[in-house]
Amino acid sequence: MAVEVVLSLPPCDDFHHHFRDGEVLANTVAHVARGFRRALAMPNLRPPVTTTAMALEYRERILACVPPEAEGFEPLMTLYLTDNTTPEEIHTAKESGKVVACKLYPAGATTNSDSGVTDLMLVQPALEAMAEVGLVLCIHGEVTTPETDIFEREATFVEVYP
């Protein structure tokens, strides 16, 4: 006798979503909003989402694309860390209640990462402010040194920054 098994999962979260922007935004939002309760918006747009004001504007564009059947979907906003991100901006982000994380992209490591971090010491004050206020740090783990083969950049990152 065959037994039918039904697996029911609670609403899930997507903690790494590239919504993008412009013409494709409506499609990416509809897709993720139908399958997830919340999604962490990656900030590597052109221009990158580097300020709380930009993140909140991007959030409104995302929410405007949520289909009626996905009402209640919540985009979780992320700031793009740069060499110039200030502790004040981190505090503003936290106070917004909508920005939950910052993403560190090594400059030149991936799509739209030209404005990324060039030296970890330059973002130390922002990182300390993040720790102080409780914002999550997301890292694109890849080295960008010219001597590292493109297919070894992630593995090398793990070795260099254990």
Side-chain angles (χ1 to χ4, degrees):
M1 171 191 228
V3 175
E4 183 179 327
V5 176
V6 177
L7 178 62
S8 180
L9 297 174
C12 300
D13 294 335
D14 177 347
F15 286 116
H16 185 116
H17 197 83
H18 291 276
F19 288 101
R20 300 298 182 207
D21 211 354
E23 293 180 16
V24 300
L25 187 61
N27 289 329
T28 59
V29 170
H31 178 75
V32 74
R34 287 184 184 111
F36 294 93
R37 177 178 53 130
R38 303 180 304 174
L40 188 65
M42 292 297 102
N44 56 327
L45 303 178
R46 198 170 292 277
V49 180
T50 57
T51 68
T52 304
M54 292 174 78
L56 297 178
E57 290 169 5
Y58 186 34
R59 182 177 186 275
E60 289 305 313
R61 292 195 303 277
I62 292 168
L63 287 172
C65 295
V66 175
E69 67 272 16
E71 184 180 344
F73 172 76
E74 181 184 4
L76 304 173
M77 304 314 294
T78 309
L79 292 188
Y80 182 115
L81 283 178
T82 72
D83 292 344
N84 301 311
T85 303
T86 65
E88 294 78 21
E89 187 62 49
I90 299 302
H91 285 272
T92 301
K94 179 65 176 185
E95 291 165 6
S96 76
K98 305 297 181 194
V99 177
V100 300
C102 294
K103 181 82 180 234
L104 189 157
Y105 294 95
T110 190
T111 307
N112 298 340
S113 65
D114 299 342
S115 300
V117 173
T118 63
D119 182 342
L120 288 175
M121 293 312 297
L122 295 174
V123 294
Q124 189 65 32
L127 295 173
E128 289 172 2
M130 288 173 62
E132 176 187 319
V133 301
L135 280 185
V136 173
L137 173 63
C138 301
I139 301 174
H140 181 91
E142 203 173 322
V143 298
T144 57
T145 53
E147 65 274 5
T148 305
D149 182 273
I150 192 165
F151 297 108
E152 298 297 324
R153 289 163 48 148
E154 291 174 350
T156 302
F157 180 89
V158 173
E159 293 169 4
V160 173
Y161 302 101

